[in-house]
Amino acid sequence: MKNKITTIVFVVIFIINYETKAIEPDEILQDQILENRAKGISKELRCLVCQNEDINNSNADIAKDLRLLIRDELLNGKTDQEIINFIHSRYGDFILYKPPIRFYTIFLWVFPFIFFFSFLILFFKKKK
């Protein structure tokens, strides 16, 4: 009985801590420093198909293409920011997990607060 409980606990802990990676062995660079940089860049980029996964964890074909592109650019001597800027210029703000704040996006950040406080004022307004 104790052995079964230990096994179940071990499996549950393993499942909770298991981080799935979609990076395939043929994508991994031999230089560990460059590989770490590639993983760092990949964590900043959103998969265009999966939308809420970074491209490291996505199995989509476009994510694999982007991972390979990042590694090729690193081998060509590009900096992290140059690679991110290149991909951003191709795919737009949506691919970035931290998109830049622009004039037209300020409304998206401010509107929920305006809506919330307006609702509070209307809800708690005393009727005469």
Side-chain angles (χ1 to χ4, degrees), residues 43-93:
K43 287 183 180 182
E44 295 182 32
L45 301 175
R46 178 190 327 264
C47 176
L48 297 169
V49 176
C50 306
Q51 297 184 0
N52 282 332
E53 281 185 323
D54 60 31
I55 63 173
N56 268 347
N57 296 323
S58 174
N59 287 323
D61 290 336
I62 192 165
K64 180 178 181 173
D65 293 342
L66 288 172
R67 288 192 303 265
L68 291 172
L69 173 72
I70 290 169
R71 284 162 175 78
D72 287 342
E73 295 296 318
L74 284 172
L75 290 173
N76 290 333
K78 299 278 178 89
T79 65
D80 296 4
Q81 195 58 48
E82 287 175 334
I83 296 169
I84 291 171
N85 290 342
F86 174 73
I87 294 172
H88 178 238
S89 70
R90 299 276 185 211
Y91 297 103
D93 289 342

Side-chain angles (χ1 to χ4, degrees), residues 14-65:
F14 179 75
I15 290 171
I16 290 172
N17 290 326
Y18 184 74
E19 185 177 330
T20 58
K21 295 282 187 195
I23 299 174
E24 297 175 9
D26 62 333
E27 296 177 27
I28 297 174
L29 297 173
Q30 296 298 321
D31 185 355
Q32 192 61 38
I33 295 172
L34 289 178
E35 181 62 27
N36 289 339
R37 285 179 55 200
K39 288 179 182 177
I41 294 169
S42 297
K43 287 183 180 182
E44 295 182 32
L45 301 175
R46 178 190 327 264
C47 176
L48 297 169
V49 176
C50 306
Q51 297 184 0
N52 282 332
E53 281 185 323
D54 60 31
I55 63 173
N56 268 347
N57 296 323
S58 174
N59 287 323
D61 290 336
I62 192 165
K64 180 178 181 173
D65 293 342

